[in-house]
Amino acid sequence: MKEEIIKKAADLFLNLGFKSVTMDDLANEMGISKKTIYFHFPNKAKLVQASTLFILNSIDEGIEKIKQKELNAIVEMVEIKNFVMHHLKDEKSSPQFQLQKYYPKVYKSVQSHHIDTMQCSINDNLEKGIKEGLYRENIPVDFIGKIYFLGMSTIKGSDLFPAEQFSIKEINEKYLEYHLRAIVTEKGLKTLKEFLPTDH
């Protein structure tokens, strides 16, 4: 039952937001008593933490499966971006931003795990792209990896990109293009343009 509660809570949090979903909402959605939920999770913060770890682990597993497909580095990045956006429901308000705002202690506790796994994934992609001749061989891998991760982590929660003007989908696509254009070779640019039908 504990795993079922975590899965359902994760789904509701992603769709409706961490702040909006109450323990009553979750109990009603699952057809169980609030007492059952509190038996496994003494408070909402504990449930938010368990659900967040579940979401991050699911994303990590999905990214690993994409990496095992042995796609070229640029296609791999596009697939990972699409997978993460689909997994996070293409939400209007970033779950990460909500977590940071309403549950800062939980955010801090899971952030180190997320940073480590995503940083490794990005760096792996950069090194792969260099070997394939798609990324410039002289790029500082660790620096570029950190800059890309930092940008992706902060841009969606920024007041500079209000939700009414910029969709999460648009922000993700433009930021990935910005990242790739900065590091691709001429060969890489040809591959990138296959994903930019309106590019001239």
Side-chain angles (χ1 to χ4, degrees):
M1 176 58 73
K2 185 175 183 178
E3 289 300 314
E4 292 176 24
I5 292 172
I6 291 173
K7 289 179 182 178
K8 176 53 71 173
D11 186 57
L12 290 175
F13 288 145
L14 287 178
N15 278 292
L16 304 173
F18 285 105
K19 187 171 186 291
S20 302
V21 178
T22 66
M23 295 299 229
D24 283 315
D25 293 332
L26 180 59
N28 291 335
E29 189 72 22
M30 295 188 70
I32 60 177
S33 68
K34 236 183 357 175
K35 186 177 179 181
T36 301
I37 298 174
Y38 281 116
F39 175 78
H40 296 287
F41 302 97
N43 53 58
K44 186 180 174 183
K46 292 290 185 184
L47 177 58
V48 167
Q49 183 172 23
S51 300
T52 302
L53 285 173
F54 172 77
I55 292 166
L56 292 178
N57 287 334
S58 297
I59 290 174
D60 291 345
E61 289 172 9
I63 289 174
E64 195 55 42
K65 287 180 181 176
I66 292 172
K67 289 167 70 176
Q68 289 171 6
K69 291 164 71 173
E70 298 186 358
L71 305 165
N72 76 52
I74 292 174
V75 176
E76 181 180 273
M77 281 297 285
V78 172
E79 284 219 6
I80 288 174
K81 183 261 299 176
N82 291 338
F83 166 76
V84 172
M85 285 176 59
H86 174 74
H87 204 81
L88 296 181
K89 315 292 186 185
D90 190 23
E91 79 303 327
K92 290 183 180 178
S93 182
S94 167
Q96 179 174 303
F97 175 68
Q98 291 181 37
L99 197 65
Q100 189 173 10
K101 184 176 182 180
Y102 300 115
Y103 296 93
K105 289 182 180 178
V106 174
Y107 174 80
K108 190 174 181 180
S109 72
V110 302
Q111 185 69 348
S112 60
H113 160 84
H114 188 48
I115 288 174
D116 289 343
T117 54
M118 289 305 293
Q119 190 71 60
C120 287
S121 179
I122 294 166
N123 286 7
D124 286 348
N125 179 269
L126 291 170
E127 289 169 358
K128 180 179 184 177
I130 291 171
K131 289 178 182 176
E132 294 171 339
L134 297 173
Y135 301 159
R136 289 182 288 108
E137 61 181 15
N138 62 338
I139 61 172
V141 170
D142 195 53
F143 176 78
I144 295 292
K146 283 181 168 60
I147 287 292
Y148 181 69
F149 178 80
L150 179 64
M152 286 303 294
S153 299
T154 57
I155 195 170
K156 288 177 285 188
S158 171
D159 292 335
L160 293 173
F161 298 96
E164 59 271 17
Q165 293 181 34
F166 301 90
S167 70
I168 294 296
K169 183 175 185 293
E170 180 185 8
I171 291 173
N172 272 285
E173 288 178 347
K174 288 187 181 302
Y175 189 71
L176 177 58
E177 179 186 348
Y178 175 80
H179 164 70
L180 291 173
R181 280 186 178 276
I183 61 175
V184 293
T185 59
E186 286 188 23
K187 176 184 174 183
L189 184 59
K190 289 179 182 178
T191 301
L192 176 59
K193 285 185 174 181
E194 294 176 14
F195 298 92
L196 304 172
T198 59
D199 184 68
H200 297 290

